[in-house]
Amino acid sequence: MHQIETTSAPSCRSVEPGLLRRVTADDADDLARHLTGWEQVYDQITCGAFVGALDEWQLPGVQVFRERINQSVHQACRVREDALWFGLPLELEASRINGRKAGAATVMARPGGKAFELVTPRDHDIYGIVVSRGLCEDRARQLGCEEGLAGLDGAEILRVDPAARAACLRMLSALLDGARDGDGCDEASAGATRHRVVDTLLRMLGATSIEAAALKSQQRRRGIVAKCRDYLYLHRDRAVSIPELCEHACVSRRTLQYCFEDVLGVSPVVYLRRLRLNAIRRMLRDEPPHARGIGRLAADWGIDNFSQFSSDYKKLFGKTPSACARGTARAG
């Protein structure tokens, strides 16, 4: 998994401070860094200029957000230690969590402090709820529905009643729309709104069944992908071939292909190339552009054909490496 880090996000635009923040971004990591309380790294997978938007509403103990991204993205995520996260993607069968497809009438869920991975499709649109574990447990005791929280520490995919899921989505949408008009700004209404979010969540969880843990075959495929990714990071200064990865992972080329397509939705050749390009993009944005030449950064990732690299970079991100570096310089 990627090393998860957080830094500033110079190319984002944030407006309407207060209960609601609205952010737009033209870079994947810049969008990721604006989600409060999360540690995230985003790698863009599909080609084209990136456009992302985030609406985030929060009070102590409760965070609600909607994230929209036009490109497919691999996300390495971790939410704060004392929280529970629930994700409701609008594209019901196209998102993956830890290599598993979410499926219809499901909710994705992970406890705080535990890293997980998402692969989201083009035109991704998801509502998320992050709730303090203590607040959620206290409210569940008050309402007599503690059973809905059982087993969440090991959960990835929750199968829920479709009507309860739809009701939760309507509440989240109305909350974010209402917050734009200043709803919930006084203490009494803010407390009532916080309870409404938690209560709606608990009603949905009351009709929940936790899908069985990933099969051993799924766990093995995800392990092979992670092993290959770690190997590439370890040998980032040179080109790593597919036969070399097969030998390292002790699998055939066909098996390697199947593992990547099943876990990430793309072939190993495509994913590993995009992984390099995203790493270089991150370095161009995070380091002073004048510190080292772009060619040197590419060479650090085993790329020695600068012309091909520049072409691949522009195809993936919609701009050349030099334009990205100049944009960072202006933002600084």
Side-chain angles (χ1 to χ4, degrees):
M1 176 176 288
H2 297 300
Q3 179 181 355
I4 298 178
E5 56 186 18
T6 56
T7 61
S8 62
S11 73
C12 282
R13 177 173 59 85
S14 180
V15 297
E16 300 184 45
L19 288 178
L20 182 84
R21 289 193 313 126
R22 299 184 64 195
V23 173
T24 59
D26 61 4
D27 177 85
D29 276 327
D30 284 352
L31 184 69
R33 292 162 181 164
H34 267 72
L35 191 54
T36 305
W38 287 71
E39 298 175 66
Q40 300 189 108
V41 175
Y42 284 8
D43 280 344
Q44 183 175 327
I45 297 175
T46 52
C47 295
F50 180 91
V51 179
L54 172 70
D55 292 353
E56 179 190 72
W57 176 95
Q58 60 177 331
L59 287 172
V62 177
Q63 175 190 38
V64 170
F65 64 87
R66 182 183 186 184
E67 182 183 66
R68 286 156 286 173
I69 302 174
N70 69 327
Q71 301 293 347
S72 177
V73 173
H74 173 267
Q75 307 180 11
C77 312
R78 182 167 56 227
V79 72
R80 65 180 186 272
E81 187 76 31
D82 64 338
L84 297 168
W85 166 73
F86 303 90
L88 292 82
L90 298 189
E91 61 288 342
L92 294 178
E93 299 189 11
S95 297
R96 290 175 168 87
I97 177 169
N98 290 340
R100 306 173 64 191
K101 290 185 179 180
T106 61
V107 175
M108 298 184 291
R110 291 302 290 156
K114 294 186 178 181
F116 62 96
E117 297 180 64
L118 299 177
V119 178
T120 58
R122 281 184 180 271
D123 300 320
H124 171 59
D125 195 343
I126 187 171
Y127 284 87
I129 307 173
V130 179
V131 184
S132 161
R133 183 186 290 268
L135 173 63
C136 201
E137 292 174 347
D138 288 346
R139 192 63 179 166
R141 281 192 292 270
Q142 293 172 17
L143 299 176
C145 56
E146 297 97 324
E147 68 279 358
L149 301 181
L152 286 181
D153 280 341
E156 293 174 340
I157 299 174
L158 309 176
R159 187 162 297 279
V160 300
D161 177 70
R165 188 184 194 277
C168 187
L169 282 170
R170 286 195 298 271
M171 180 273 298
L172 297 176
S173 177
L175 171 61
L176 291 175
D177 289 342
R180 290 189 179 94
D181 298 324
D183 289 1
C185 289
D186 63 90
E187 185 174 350
S189 60
T193 302
R194 180 166 52 192
H195 280 162
R196 185 166 75 250
V197 172
V198 178
D199 293 356
T200 304
L201 172 65
L202 289 171
R203 281 194 292 271
M204 182 175 65
L205 296 180
T208 290
S209 62
I210 298 176
E211 288 203 355
L215 299 174
K216 288 185 178 180
S217 58
Q218 293 174 311
Q219 295 172 344
R220 178 176 178 269
R221 289 192 289 270
R222 186 174 176 231
I224 288 171
V225 170
K227 192 173 184 178
C228 291
R229 190 163 51 213
D230 291 344
Y231 186 81
L232 180 67
Y233 274 106
L234 185 62
H235 301 280
R236 68 183 71 184
D237 59 339
R238 62 178 179 82
V240 175
S241 68
I242 296 300
E244 184 178 352
L245 286 178
C246 290
E247 181 178 357
H248 175 68
C250 301
V251 296
S252 68
R253 188 167 190 143
R254 182 177 180 180
T255 297
L256 189 74
Q257 179 89 7
Y258 179 73
C259 288
F260 271 80
E261 290 180 348
D262 183 61
V263 174
L264 298 173
V266 295
S267 71
V269 171
V270 170
Y271 179 74
L272 296 177
R273 183 186 302 128
R274 304 281 160 82
L275 185 65
R276 290 189 182 98
L277 293 173
N278 275 278
I280 296 167
R281 169 187 59 85
R282 199 166 290 119
M283 294 170 72
L284 284 173
R285 299 186 68 83
D286 290 349
E287 295 187 10
H290 62 274
R292 293 195 292 167
I294 296 173
R296 177 63 183 276
L297 295 180
D300 287 346
W301 279 88
I303 298 174
D304 55 12
N305 186 330
F306 186 83
S307 177
Q308 184 63 51
F309 156 69
S310 184
S311 175
D312 290 343
Y313 190 101
K314 184 177 181 180
K315 181 180 180 181
L316 180 58
F317 300 119
K319 62 178 69 174
T320 64
S322 56
C324 179
R326 286 197 299 271
T328 304
R330 286 194 296 271

